C-alpha cells in the first residue's frame, strides 16, 4: 500500500514555457500533499503544502504565481511551473499523507526531473 | 531555530553493521522519520519513532531518545544495495518534516 505516482518522470522544456507535473496517491486518500525541490547533493526543500479543496501554503521565498499548485481531489495534486527558466531545472518530488488520525508518514512519488533549456 | 546534525558520509563493509547517528533541535516534536534515498531517486520511508526506545524492522532498527534530541538508524547484514543516503527527519509542532542533507552511506565489498 501507500503508493504515490508522479507524471512525467522527466521533462525537457524550452525557457518561457509552462510545465505541469501530476502527483497521485494510488491506494489511499491524501488530505495533504507536499511539493519538494531538490538540487544535486542538497537536501529536500519544501516548496508548498496543499490540502484538498483549499489553497496551498507556500514556503518563504517560493513564488506562488510561478509555481501553481492545485489539489483538486483527495488523490490528485498538480504543480505547474509557469514561464520556466533554466534555474528552475531541478528534481521535483511530491509526497502525500493520509488523512487518518495518528498517521503522519509521508509517502513520496518517484520524482520528476525537469530540465529547462 | 530548527537543526539536524548527521555525518555527511560513512563507509562500511558488506555484511557488517553500521549505525547512523542524528541529533536534532525542533520547535515542538511529533516523532522522527528515517528515509532512504538512492541517487537520482525519491526518498522511501524506513521508520517512524514517536516514543523513546528501539523499533526493529528486519535488518533496520531505529532508536529515539526525546530528552537527548537523538536518534540512530542501525543497519545489519549490510548489502551493496544499501548504498544510499539516509535522511533523518524530525516532525515539528506543525507536523512538518524538517530535512537535513542526510548521510551518504558507501558499502564496500
Amino acid at each position: 500500500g501507500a503508493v504515490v505516482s508522479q507524471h512525467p518522470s522527466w521533462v525537457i522544456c524550452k525557457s518561457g514555457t509552462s510545465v505541469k507535473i501530476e502527483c497521485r496517491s494510488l491506494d489511499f486518500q491524501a488530505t495533504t500533499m507536499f511539493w519538494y525541490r531538490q538540487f544535486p547533493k542538497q537536501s529536500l526543500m519544501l516548496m508548498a503544502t496543499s490540502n484538498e479543496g483549499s489553497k496551498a501554503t507556500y514556503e518563504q521565498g517560493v513564488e506562488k504565481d510561478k509555481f501553481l499548485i492545485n489539489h483538486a481531489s483527495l488523490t490528485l495534486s498538480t504543480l505547474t511551473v509557469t514561464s520556466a527558466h533554466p534555474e528552475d531545472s531541478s528534481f521535483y518530488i511530491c509526497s502525500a499523507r493520509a488523512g487518518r488520525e495518528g498517521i503522519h508518514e509521508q509517502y513520496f512519488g518517484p520524482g520528476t526531473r525537469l530540465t529547462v533549456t | 531555530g530548527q537543526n539536524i546534525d548527521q555525518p555527511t558520509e560513512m563507509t562500511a563493509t558488506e555484511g557488517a553493521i553500521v549505525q547512523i547517528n542524528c541529533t536534532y533541535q525542533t520547535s515542538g516534536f511529533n516523532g522522527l522519520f528515517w528515509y532512504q534515498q538512492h541517487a537520482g531517486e525519491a526518498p522511501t520511508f524506513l521508520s517512524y519513532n514517536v516514543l523513546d526506545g528501539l523499533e526493529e524492522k528486519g535488518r533496520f532498527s531505529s532508536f529515539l531518545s526525546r530528552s537527548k534530541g537523538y536518534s540512530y538508524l542501525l543497519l545489519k547484514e549490510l548489502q551493496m544495495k544499501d548504498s544510499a543516503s539516509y535522511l533523518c527527519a524530525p516532525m515539528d509542532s506543525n507536523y512538518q518534516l524538517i530535512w537535513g542533507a542526510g548521510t551518504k552511506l558507501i558499502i564496500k565489498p
Side-chain angles (χ1 to χ4, degrees):
Chain A
V3 178
V4 177
S5 71
Q6 256 182 269
H7 178 80
S9 302
W10 57 269
V11 57
I12 301 172
C13 70
K14 292 186 177 180
S15 188
T17 61
S18 295
V19 174
K20 180 186 280 188
I21 303 170
E22 290 188 351
C23 177
R24 293 180 186 271
S25 57
L26 299 183
D27 52 0
F28 67 101
Q29 293 186 327
T31 54
T32 306
M33 286 187 170
F34 304 85
W35 286 96
Y36 293 88
R37 182 165 55 180
Q38 188 175 35
F39 293 104
K41 298 186 179 180
Q42 293 189 22
S43 61
L44 289 167
M45 189 195 81
L46 180 64
M47 299 175 68
T49 302
S50 73
N51 292 295
E52 185 265 338
S54 62
K55 288 184 179 180
T57 302
Y58 289 81
E59 295 300 301
Q60 196 170 9
V62 178
E63 300 173 59
K64 63 179 180 181
D65 295 329
K66 180 171 181 62
F67 298 99
L68 303 178
I69 292 171
N70 186 350
H71 192 162
S73 76
L74 286 171
T75 60
L76 173 65
S77 177
T78 61
L79 167 69
T80 302
V81 182
T82 62
S83 187
H85 292 285
E87 57 264 31
D88 298 324
S89 298
S90 187
F91 191 41
Y92 291 86
I93 313 171
C94 74
S95 71
R97 186 170 70 199
R100 297 191 301 264
E101 188 175 336
I103 304 299
H104 302 301
E105 293 95 308
Q106 287 184 30
Y107 294 95
F108 285 84
T112 297
R113 193 161 301 282
L114 170 64
T115 301
V116 184
T117 61
Chain B
Q2 310 206 94
N3 182 61
I4 297 169
D5 193 22
Q6 288 180 250
T8 304
E9 188 173 296
M10 298 181 70
T11 302
T13 305
E14 190 176 14
I17 299 173
V18 71
Q19 177 174 312
I20 302 174
N21 295 321
C22 169
T23 57
Y24 62 88
Q25 289 179 308
T26 56
S27 301
F29 181 75
N30 279 298
L32 185 143
F33 293 82
W34 283 93
Y35 284 86
Q36 179 192 60
Q37 186 176 25
H38 284 99
E41 298 181 11
T44 56
F45 170 78
L46 288 178
S47 67
Y48 173 58
N49 294 64
V50 66
L51 299 176
D52 290 349
L54 186 68
E55 295 272 349
E56 297 186 73
K57 193 185 287 187
R59 294 190 298 115
F60 294 2
S61 303
S62 56
F63 172 84
L64 176 67
S65 169
R66 289 171 296 173
S67 62
K68 294 181 179 178
Y70 168 69
S71 175
Y72 69 72
L73 181 69
L74 189 72
L75 294 79
K76 302 177 185 176
E77 300 169 19
L78 287 169
Q79 301 175 10
M80 298 302 293
K81 67 178 182 180
D82 297 329
S83 292
S85 287
Y86 291 86
L87 311 175
C88 162
M91 181 178 283
D92 68 11
S93 58
N94 294 319
Y95 294 95
Q96 283 223 19
L97 292 178
I98 310 302
W99 299 93
T103 297
K104 182 179 180 181
L105 177 63
I106 300 169
I107 310 297
K108 294 186 175 180

